[in-house]
Amino acid sequence: MAITVYVPRDTTARALDADRVAARIERGAKTRGVDINVVRNGSRGLFYLEPLVEVDTPEGRVAFGPVTPGDVEPLLDAGLLEGRQDHTLALGLTEEIAYLKGQQRLTFSRIGITDPVSIEDYTALRGFEGLKKALALSSQTIVDEIKTSGLRGRGGAAFPTGIKWQTVHDQPAGQKYVVCNADEGDSGTFADRLVMECDPYMLIEGMTIAGLAAGADQGYIYLRSEYPLAHAILNEAIERAVAAGYLGSNILDSGRAFHLEVRLGAGAYICGEETSLLESLEGKRGLVRAKPPLPAIEGLFGRPTVVNNVLSLAAVPFILDQGGQAYADYGMGRSRGTLAIQLAGNVRRGGLVELAFGTSLRELMEDFGGGTLSGRPLKAVQVGGPLGAYLPQSQWDNPLDYEGFAAFGGVVGHGGIVMFDDSVDMGDQARFAMEFCTVESCGKCTPCRIGAVRGVEVIDRIRAGEAPEKNLVLLADLCETMLDGSLCAMGGMTPFPVQSVMQHFPDDLTPRQAVTAGGTTC
């Protein structure tokens, strides 16, 4: 019987030479006369161990990592194909790796286990069970199950998913749409990509269930152009799902229809905002729309539209399969279920951590992340993307939930956590926040378009020592204007990181000291 060896095929693993690792394992096994079957699975999300090679054994899958092409021959000589643990890269049973074992994986329970485009692998692990149950329910019952779960938007806004679906459901019959926001552009985030590259049928299933609930028969995945591998995998998975009867004009012989297509964005961060995304999807420039009307009432092509993030839709199959209450049993307060946390930046053990709401940043950064890669003390952490506040050590023990973070000016956002050690200049980070907005603003509203430019100028004057006290007052006033007057969260949240630096790291906004050629300051 052939030995099964797993080598990930996601973007992270391939960027770290996983293709060459797989090729050398196949070549080495052939040289040794050993019959193997190499499965290109998805990543487990343990990026610090990629490429993570796994071997099927009677005791379970055993792991080795991080494996470079140069490690393959020594590993084969040490008994890799027999699963022997006689090498420094041997990690034991994959499921016993502490980073993985300490998680509560509901949405990401399959990633790294299956071949991403194998429907057989997906259905063997309860794939499409939620869809089968949804087909037997009324559309209102499906919506009620989502409401029971307490699922909220995982893209950043945290709006209750069930209420959004209910709004679309209640619109008069006619053409309706389901749009997946896969324009994952926040710094330090990659969970959407892992869903699409490692478990694409989960997203397909979630969108199909959303269509059944809302009365929509057409869906679009709006994918960022920087994800070519996700694009290829999604297209292949959609084609296979149609052939197997899980998509199309007669889903599983139910008489119900749902069609799905992938559309590529053009590299604009602002198109992560739902109305700008819809404009882009219609072939227009990505400008933010004024609300009302809401997209749930007048969305894509003026029709009622469900717009949800990848992670929101990916949670739906579990909810329909296991029940809304099973999902709601995780979490705290109004933040129910699990959150896909992405550890990035200056971190020793970067990767995906799925846990119920309520854990602390300190636990995530120290117990899972292992502190900084540099070995220097942590100074600040940014949660929720480039528009999130920079949080000091005094806020690292607060429970991670939407209301708790909002109470002290924090943002959970998409779950990205970017860590900074004590060498970071927070004044530079404050300037970057404003500069980022100048580049990415759609330009429709004045507070965002002009305010960010003025923000960069004011910070530069402060750091150059030009009337710093007066300009700090001006910067504070500018931030309030952007917060209150911007049309969308792009301009409305850009002040968050700037204000957090002013509040928690004021010394980093003091004028820079000029250094003379002789080394003295002036």
Side-chain angles (χ1 to χ4, degrees):
M1 181 182 291
I3 298 168
T4 303
V5 180
Y6 299 86
V7 183
R9 59 175 290 189
D10 73 295
T11 295
T12 301
R14 293 183 68 181
L16 294 168
D17 245 356
D19 290 347
R20 289 179 63 206
V21 168
R24 291 195 180 189
I25 289 174
E26 289 183 311
R27 187 166 65 243
K30 184 177 181 180
T31 300
R32 290 165 174 78
V34 180
D35 186 18
I36 69 170
N37 174 36
V38 175
V39 175
R40 301 306 302 272
N41 59 321
S43 170
R44 295 271 189 166
L46 282 61
F47 289 165
Y48 69 101
L49 293 176
E50 292 292 5
L52 182 71
V53 175
E54 298 179 70
V55 179
D56 233 347
T57 74
E59 293 75 31
R61 280 158 67 164
V62 294
F64 303 81
V67 178
T68 68
D71 294 323
V72 171
E73 279 299 318
L75 278 167
L76 290 170
D77 291 340
L80 168 75
L81 300 179
E82 293 78 40
R84 293 211 307 265
Q85 301 292 290
D86 300 334
H87 194 280
T88 55
L89 296 181
L91 301 167
L93 291 171
T94 309
E95 299 294 339
E96 294 299 315
I97 296 173
Y99 194 100
L100 188 60
K101 190 175 182 180
Q103 299 189 35
Q104 296 164 299
R105 289 198 167 179
L106 306 183
T107 301
F108 289 90
S109 62
R110 278 180 296 265
I111 69 160
I113 297 175
T114 62
D115 174 348
V117 294
S118 168
I119 288 182
E120 292 74 18
D121 282 6
Y122 185 67
T123 55
L125 295 173
R126 302 200 63 80
F128 291 119
E129 290 299 317
L131 175 59
K132 291 175 183 176
K133 292 181 180 180
L135 287 167
L137 301 174
S138 70
S139 57
Q140 184 59 59
T141 304
I142 298 172
V143 173
D144 290 342
E145 206 65 52
I146 298 300
K147 289 180 179 178
T148 299
S149 74
L151 178 66
R152 295 166 68 176
R154 295 292 189 258
F159 189 82
T161 304
I163 293 177
K164 182 179 287 189
W165 287 21
Q166 184 72 67
T167 305
V168 180
H169 171 276
D170 291 346
Q171 301 309 302
Q175 183 64 61
K176 300 179 183 179
Y177 297 101
V178 176
V179 173
C180 173
N181 184 347
D183 193 47
E184 184 176 49
D186 282 353
S187 50
T189 60
F190 43 80
D192 288 358
R193 177 176 62 77
L194 286 179
V195 168
M196 295 182 286
E197 292 182 354
C198 305
D199 200 3
Y201 294 115
M202 176 171 59
L203 178 58
I204 292 170
E205 183 179 2
M207 291 188 70
T208 306
I209 293 170
L212 296 175
D217 63 1
Q218 179 66 53
Y220 295 99
I221 300 172
Y222 185 89
L223 176 68
R224 67 179 311 206
S225 59
E226 295 88 346
Y227 284 175
L229 182 57
H231 188 206
I233 289 174
L234 282 171
N235 280 333
E236 182 176 355
I238 289 170
E239 184 178 338
R240 292 189 180 201
V242 170
Y246 293 106
L247 282 174
S249 57
N250 186 20
I251 302 169
L252 296 178
D253 296 321
S254 66
R256 311 285 290 278
F258 190 73
H259 305 275
L260 186 58
E261 300 176 37
V262 181
R263 290 287 182 267
L264 288 181
Y269 179 80
I270 192 62
C271 286
E273 193 278 334
E274 62 177 0
T275 64
S276 182
L277 182 156
L278 293 175
E279 289 286 292
S280 177
L281 197 53
E282 292 178 5
K284 305 171 186 174
R285 179 182 170 190
L287 292 175
V288 174
R289 297 177 183 175
K291 301 177 188 178
L294 298 170
I297 298 172
E298 291 184 27
L300 185 64
F301 303 116
R303 302 301 304 167
T305 305
V306 170
V307 184
N308 279 135
N309 168 261
V310 171
L311 296 182
S312 306
L313 292 162
V316 169
F318 176 91
I319 292 168
L320 266 293
D321 181 23
Q322 301 295 319
Q325 190 57 51
Y327 192 79
D329 286 342
Y330 293 83
M332 61 178 290
R334 292 177 53 211
S335 301
R336 310 311 307 174
T338 58
L339 177 66
I341 300 136
Q342 298 127 89
L343 292 176
N346 193 334
V347 59
R348 183 165 164 247
R349 295 193 292 264
L352 176 82
V353 180
E354 184 180 1
L355 289 173
F357 285 94
T359 189
S360 71
L361 285 175
R362 193 180 302 277
E363 178 185 355
L364 288 164
M365 296 188 295
E366 295 180 359
D367 295 352
F368 284 93
T372 63
L373 180 64
S374 64
R376 299 174 66 98
L378 271 168
K379 179 174 181 177
V381 56
Q382 187 176 40
V383 183
L387 308 183
Y390 294 105
L391 305 180
Q393 186 171 354
S394 60
Q395 294 177 341
W396 297 348
D397 294 311
N398 292 309
L400 188 59
D401 79 299
Y402 293 121
E403 280 65 43
F405 261 50
F408 62 80
V411 177
V412 174
H414 190 47
I417 294 178
V418 179
M419 296 162 54
F420 299 87
D421 71 13
D422 63 355
S423 67
V424 69
D425 184 327
M426 298 307 297
D428 285 345
Q429 295 303 311
R431 186 186 189 280
F432 170 76
M434 287 292 187
E435 185 180 31
F436 180 80
C437 187
T438 68
V439 174
E440 298 295 346
S441 172
C442 78
K444 187 167 185 175
C445 72
T446 303
C448 178
R449 182 183 69 250
I450 303 299
V453 175
R454 297 294 169 258
V456 172
E457 294 171 354
V458 172
I459 291 173
D460 283 346
R461 288 201 296 269
I462 292 169
R463 308 217 73 191
E466 298 178 20
E469 293 182 3
K470 179 180 177 180
N471 278 303
L472 280 168
V473 173
L474 181 59
L475 182 60
D477 184 59
L478 176 62
C479 285
E480 291 299 324
T481 299
M482 293 179 69
L483 280 168
D484 297 335
S486 297
L487 188 58
C488 80
M490 181 79 230
M493 290 177 63
T494 290
F496 286 179
V498 179
Q499 290 174 320
S500 65
V501 171
M502 295 172 71
Q503 179 181 358
H504 301 297
F505 309 97
D507 291 346
D508 283 15
L509 266 178
T510 55
R512 294 179 186 270
Q513 294 293 315
V515 181
T516 67
T520 60
T521 59
C522 59

